[in-house]
């Protein structure tokens, strides 16, 4: 094998990865809050005790 790639050498910039991670984290938190509110409205409108 000629020129094996080093395993632990990072070919990316840490700043770019942290910005991408923050974007994904905010999107997940936002969708979790919206989903939780929508499920609460769904639970209030349907009576699960009679089903």
């Amino acid at each position: 094998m000629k020129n094996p790639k080093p395993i632990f050498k990072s070919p990316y910039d840490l700043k770019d990865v942290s910005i991408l991670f923050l974007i994904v984290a905010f999107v997940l938190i936002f969708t979790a809050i919206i989903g939780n509110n929508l499920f609460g409205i769904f639970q209030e409108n349907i009576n699960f005790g009679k089903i």
Side-chain angles (χ1 to χ4, degrees), residues 14-30:
L14 187 62
K15 187 177 178 183
D16 295 337
V17 174
S18 62
I19 290 172
L20 183 64
F21 177 77
L22 284 175
I23 291 172
V24 171
F26 278 124
V27 167
L28 287 176
I29 291 170
F30 183 72

Side-chain angles (χ1 to χ4, degrees), residues 18-46:
S18 62
I19 290 172
L20 183 64
F21 177 77
L22 284 175
I23 291 172
V24 171
F26 278 124
V27 167
L28 287 176
I29 291 170
F30 183 72
T31 54
I33 292 171
I34 296 296
N36 195 10
N37 288 339
L38 289 178
F39 186 70
I41 294 171
F42 173 72
Q43 268 186 327
E44 289 174 0
N45 290 336
I46 295 177

